[in-house]
């Protein structure tokens, strides 16, 4: 290899390293905000656009109730300017303390602040005697499975971002206003579609839709919780206590739960239609619309908001 060729290759290599370093610097120059779950990320991305790098701790296929963040996720979160916790997931408070230990300047924001919380019902089940029993005291953590709650969560996110990054405050306010108008239209559309089903029940393997049910006057019947399952006689008694029109009874199964496959037997016994619902899905808006599609058997959801 001649000296000229060798020198040319050195220059090209140096240029490539410089270009790569420049790109890396550009990416890392954005402030990092960490959230707990992907539905939060969808909301925050809608507000911050490309001004902030939003990172979600929990993978979409993980179980949020027994999640243990890996070390890499903790390191990533502790290097950010904000950690926006969902608010009542069982691992969040301990995680926040660990993050603060690693970065005393890190601000922790509870995005559920101001939501009318539901106590206990997110973790209750029916025993064979038909009475409600609670596996543990606390708050239903699934606040994000409600369009109305999502508006509160987004408002909390906006306030936190304006305080943390006042330079881009106007952009955040503009994008939030657009998001909030969309969520308001979405809520109105869902209210109209679900009005004929008011008072009726639906089944769900894991009790993750308490806030959604409250918003639209529906009854959630949880089949599993706390490692226990409702008996078939207990379920039939419960179904008789709520209105469920033939062909309208739906059983939602969360991919992270129902590992035993018991849902198929329950569907066969009750005549319900089985539908998948993943409350951790990244495309939060489409997930909520599909939820309502499955309840109403309508599919023309694209033009609703």
């Amino acid at each position: 290899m001649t000296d000229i060729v060798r020198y040319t290759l050195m220059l090209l290599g140096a240029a490539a390293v410089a270009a790569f370093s420049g790109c890396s610097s550009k990416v890392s120059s954005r402030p990092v905000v960490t959230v707990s779950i992907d539905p939060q990320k969808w909301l925050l991305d809608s507000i911050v656009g490309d001004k902030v790098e939003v990172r979600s701790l929990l993978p979409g296929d993980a179980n949020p109730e027994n999640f243990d963040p890996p070390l890499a996720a903790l390191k990533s979160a502790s290097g950010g300017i904000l950690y926006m916790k969902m608010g009542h997931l069982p691992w969040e408070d301990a995680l926040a303390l660990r993050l603060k230990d690693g970065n005393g300047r890190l601000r922790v924001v509870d995005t559920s602040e101001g939501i009318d919380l539901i106590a206990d019902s997110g973790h209750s089940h029916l025993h064979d005697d038909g009475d409600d029993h609670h596996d543990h005291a606390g708050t239903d953590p699934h606040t994000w499975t409600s369009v109305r709650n999502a508006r509160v969560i987004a408002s909390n996110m906006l306030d936190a971002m304006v305080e943390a990054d006042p330079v881009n405050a106007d952009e955040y306010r503009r994008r939030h206003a657009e998001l909030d108008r969309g969520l308001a239209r979405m809520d109105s559309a869902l209210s109209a579609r679900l009005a004929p089903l008011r008072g009726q029940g639906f089944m769900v393997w894991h009790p993750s839709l308490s806030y959604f049910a409250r918003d639209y006057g529906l009854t959630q019947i949880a089949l599993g919780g706390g490692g226990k399952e409702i008996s078939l006689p207990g379920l039939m008694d419960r179904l008789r206590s709520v209105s469920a029109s033939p062909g309208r009874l739906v059983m939602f199964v969360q991919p992270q739960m129902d590992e035993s496959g018991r849902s198929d037997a329950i569907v066969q016994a009750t005549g319900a239609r089985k539908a998948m619902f993943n409350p951790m899905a990244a495309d939060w808006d489409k997930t909520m619309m599909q939820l309502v599609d499955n309840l109403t058997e309508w599919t023309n959801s694209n033009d609703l908001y």
Side-chain angles (χ1 to χ4, degrees):
M1 182 181 296
T2 66
D3 290 341
I4 294 177
V5 173
R6 192 175 289 114
Y7 181 69
T8 302
L9 291 175
M10 288 175 60
L11 289 177
L12 290 173
V17 170
F20 178 80
S21 300
C23 291
S24 299
S25 175
K26 184 177 181 180
V27 171
S28 62
S29 68
R30 290 192 299 166
V32 172
V33 176
T34 303
V35 297
S36 291
I37 58 176
D38 284 346
Q40 278 179 293
K41 185 179 187 303
W42 186 91
L43 291 168
L44 187 55
D45 278 335
S46 299
I47 296 171
V48 301
D50 61 0
K51 302 296 184 184
V52 173
E53 182 179 350
V54 183
R55 299 175 182 171
S56 176
L57 283 171
L58 189 73
D61 58 351
N63 185 341
E65 309 240 348
N66 57 17
F67 177 61
D68 186 16
L71 184 60
L74 294 176
K75 184 177 180 181
S76 173
S78 65
I81 61 170
L82 288 172
Y83 167 46
M84 296 192 182
K85 64 179 185 177
M86 192 63 258
H88 299 277
L89 294 172
W91 45 271
E92 286 183 307
D93 288 340
L95 172 66
L97 291 175
R98 294 170 68 184
L99 294 178
K100 293 288 285 184
D101 287 341
N103 178 3
R105 295 174 298 176
L106 181 69
R107 184 182 170 206
V108 178
V109 177
D110 182 351
T111 61
S112 71
E113 186 175 346
I115 289 175
D116 183 11
L117 299 171
I118 296 176
D120 292 329
S121 63
H123 294 84
S124 65
H125 60 274
L126 260 79
H127 285 246
D128 291 347
D129 58 10
D131 294 328
D132 282 318
H133 296 270
H134 301 294
D135 296 308
H136 56 81
T139 298
D140 186 326
H142 307 92
T143 51
W144 67 93
T145 59
S146 156
V147 179
R148 296 172 191 177
N149 287 353
R151 297 181 69 184
V152 178
I153 294 167
S155 179
N156 290 333
M157 288 178 164
L158 171 66
D159 291 343
M161 289 308 308
V162 167
E163 182 176 344
D165 184 19
V167 172
N168 292 305
D170 289 343
E171 174 73 3
Y172 297 150
R173 291 190 182 100
R174 182 189 66 79
R175 294 181 65 95
H176 171 266
E178 182 178 347
L179 170 65
D180 189 64
R181 286 191 294 270
L183 292 175
R185 291 193 297 269
M186 184 178 183
D187 181 37
S188 295
L190 299 191
S191 295
R193 293 180 62 186
L194 293 169
L197 301 182
R198 193 169 186 83
Q200 294 193 20
F202 62 87
M203 297 185 292
V204 61
W205 190 254
H206 183 69
S208 58
L209 290 169
S210 304
Y211 295 95
F212 170 82
R214 180 179 69 182
D215 284 352
Y216 304 112
L218 305 173
T219 299
Q220 172 186 248
I221 303 172
L223 307 182
K228 300 180 181 180
E229 299 175 0
I230 187 173
S231 68
L232 189 55
L235 172 61
M236 300 309 290
D237 287 342
R238 185 69 191 274
L239 288 176
R240 282 190 285 270
S241 71
V242 299
S243 174
S245 301
R248 291 288 194 184
L249 182 61
V250 180
M251 178 178 178
F252 292 106
V253 179
Q254 186 173 332
Q256 300 89 339
M257 310 294 176
D258 190 29
E259 295 177 352
S260 66
R262 178 104 189 271
S263 60
D264 291 334
I266 293 175
V267 164
Q268 185 174 3
T270 60
R273 292 183 294 109
K274 182 177 178 179
M276 302 305 293
F277 171 70
N278 183 7
M280 310 306 296
D283 50 351
W284 176 87
D285 57 336
K286 293 181 176 63
T287 299
M288 295 301 295
M289 295 302 291
Q290 186 61 50
L291 171 68
V292 176
D293 285 345
N294 283 319
L295 280 171
T296 61
E297 297 183 335
W298 298 343
T299 57
N300 57 333
S301 60
N302 293 331
D303 58 350
L304 286 175
Y305 71 100

